[in-house]
Amino acid sequence: MGNGAKAQQKRERNADKNAAGGSKSQAKVNEAAKSIVCATCKQPFLITTRAPASLRLALFFLTFRLEEHSKNKHSKTIAECFPTFAAK
């Protein structure tokens, strides 16, 4: 047997590993995280937090982005553009 058989065995092992791992795409996760939508232009915003310790910081940046969007793009307040968003 030559190196061709070894290469084929390696391809089969790697195919088994990749099939068991499942999909590694972020697309489904990103779509699920788009829960804040501007009422005026329907632009979605991602809600992302990595750890509970960073929740306050993430909420601050999200609020800043929403406020910036509502003022610069529509000249409205956060409450007018995002009626479902309630900053805690």
Side-chain angles (χ1 to χ4, degrees), residues 58-68 78 85 87-88:
L59 186 60
F60 170 75
F61 284 123
L62 177 64
T63 305
F64 178 74
R65 285 181 40 212
L66 296 180
E67 184 176 6
E68 189 177 59
I78 291 180
F85 178 71
K88 296 176 184 175

Side-chain angles (χ1 to χ4, degrees), residues 34 36-45 69 73-74 81-82:
K34 291 180 181 178
I36 297 180
V37 179
C38 178
T40 306
C41 66
K42 306 298 184 205
Q43 179 179 352
F45 288 86
H69 171 84
K73 195 164 185 180
H74 305 299
C81 282
F82 305 100

